[in-house]
């Protein structure tokens, strides 16, 4: 879209402006989430290590067909995956934004927990190893991520092998942060503890991404009504 610059004078050609809201992605050469992602991962690790999680490991979670242990493993895997893929080289061109990642992910389009994109076998297999194994794996992965980021041993473009596409590093880290924030809430509700409060630098970009996805899915009016008008409240979701 070509927009007229607010300071354009008569007879002056308009200047093209690119607004981040047009694509849902701010193209910034600074990887602003390098220092933020480990903070989110540390909050998740604290929750995973709680005795309430360990003691209710085999009980059902709030998510269909997932035990508390499987949900905890799914949460912990977000930092494990980051440790695995951040240093991997790829020649796959990245998607334009984190938004595009979720708009094309097969599980977002699924309608049942039994659909193939929602396969939980990996979560179940890891849960069978027990809570101590998860804590050790997640803690080790967090240290690996911190070391890789501190050493600059990470890639600007990150391949996501389980999806078949790539993202710029900041967008990839944002997707993992969203998974952490959402599943931390799921896990806390499952074991009856308060959902952890994430620092603003973690929560704000996740919140903004969720709102953008909800607008794409339901439209501006539905999101405005849900957030601003209790008398017109309707059920909306980013997914």
């Amino acid at each position: 879209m070509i927009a007229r610059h607010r300071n354009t004078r008569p007879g002056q050609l308009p200047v093209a402006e690119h607004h981040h809201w047009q694509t849902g992605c701010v193209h910034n050469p600074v990887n602003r989430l390098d220092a933020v992602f480990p903070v989110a991962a540390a909050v998740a690790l604290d929750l995973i290590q709680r005795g309430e999680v360990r003691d209710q490991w085999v009980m059902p979670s709030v998510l269909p067909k997932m035990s508390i242990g499987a949900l905890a493993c799914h949460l912990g895997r977000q930092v494990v995956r980051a440790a695995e893929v951040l240093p991997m080289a790829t020649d796959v061109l990245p998607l334009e934004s984190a938004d595009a990642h979720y708009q094309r992910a097969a599980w977002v389009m699924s309608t049942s927990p039994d659909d193939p994109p929602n396969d939980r076998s990996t979560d179940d297999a890891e849960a069978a190893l027990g809570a101590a194994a998860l804590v050790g794996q997640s803690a080790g992965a967090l240290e690996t991520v911190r070391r890789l980021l501190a050493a600059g041993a990470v890639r600007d473009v990150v391949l996501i092998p389980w999806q078949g596409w790539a993202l710029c590093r900041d967008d990839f880290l944002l997707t993992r942060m969203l998974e952490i924030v959402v599943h931390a809430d799921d896990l806390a509700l499952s074991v009856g503890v308060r959902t952890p409060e994430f620092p603003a630098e973690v929560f704000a970009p996740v919140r903004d991404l969720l709102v953008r996805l909800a607008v794409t899915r339901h439209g501006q009016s539905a999101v405005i009504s849900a957030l601003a008008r209790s008398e017109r409240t309707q059920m909306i979701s980013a997914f």
Side-chain angles (χ1 to χ4, degrees):
M1 177 182 293
I2 301 297
R4 183 175 296 275
H5 194 279
R6 70 184 66 180
N7 294 324
T8 298
R9 296 184 296 274
Q12 179 182 358
L13 289 175
V15 178
E17 290 186 319
H18 181 76
H19 299 280
H20 68 80
W21 44 261
Q22 291 174 309
T23 62
C25 181
V26 178
H27 294 283
N28 190 330
V30 177
N31 285 291
R32 60 192 173 91
L33 298 183
D34 282 2
V36 177
F37 175 75
V39 176
V43 173
L45 182 59
D46 286 344
L47 178 60
I48 287 168
Q49 294 181 101
R50 291 191 63 134
E52 293 91 343
V53 175
R54 181 187 64 247
D55 295 343
Q56 301 177 68
W57 192 256
V58 299
M59 299 296 291
S61 75
V62 297
L63 297 185
K65 301 189 175 184
M66 285 192 79
S67 68
I68 286 171
L71 175 55
C73 289
H74 192 79
L75 173 58
R77 193 178 309 115
Q78 306 313 313
V79 66
V80 173
R81 287 274 177 83
E84 292 171 348
V85 302
L86 281 172
M88 290 174 53
T90 182
D91 57 2
V92 176
L93 293 177
L95 301 183
E96 63 271 21
S97 66
D99 307 52
H101 166 84
Y102 285 109
Q103 289 162 7
R104 67 172 58 190
W107 65 264
V108 175
M109 306 301 174
S110 67
T111 57
S112 167
D114 294 320
D115 289 344
N118 296 319
D119 177 65
R120 305 299 192 192
S121 58
T122 300
D123 302 316
D124 293 337
E126 291 185 359
L129 301 176
L134 170 64
V135 170
Q137 183 184 44
S138 300
L142 178 53
E143 288 307 309
T144 297
V145 168
R146 285 172 170 157
R147 175 176 52 79
L148 290 171
L149 290 169
V154 291
R155 303 289 177 167
D156 290 334
V157 175
V158 179
L159 178 67
I160 309 177
W162 59 94
Q163 296 287 5
W165 56 73
L167 289 169
C168 293
R169 183 166 79 247
D170 224 37
D171 290 329
F172 170 76
L173 292 177
L174 177 55
T175 67
R176 295 313 96 194
M177 285 166 48
L178 183 147
E179 300 289 334
I180 286 172
V181 170
V182 170
H183 289 306
D185 184 55
D186 292 331
L187 184 57
L189 290 171
S190 296
V191 300
V193 301
R194 184 176 180 179
T195 298
E197 290 285 323
F198 287 90
E201 62 267 26
V202 173
F203 185 75
V206 170
R207 173 204 63 207
D208 294 348
L209 175 55
L210 286 171
V211 170
R212 292 198 304 271
L213 294 174
V215 170
T216 298
R217 190 176 182 90
H218 302 282
Q220 290 185 4
S221 178
V223 173
I224 291 170
S225 292
L227 295 178
R229 295 299 179 196
S230 59
E231 65 272 22
R232 296 201 301 268
T233 297
Q234 53 186 301
M235 295 297 294
I236 64 168
S237 172
F239 305 117

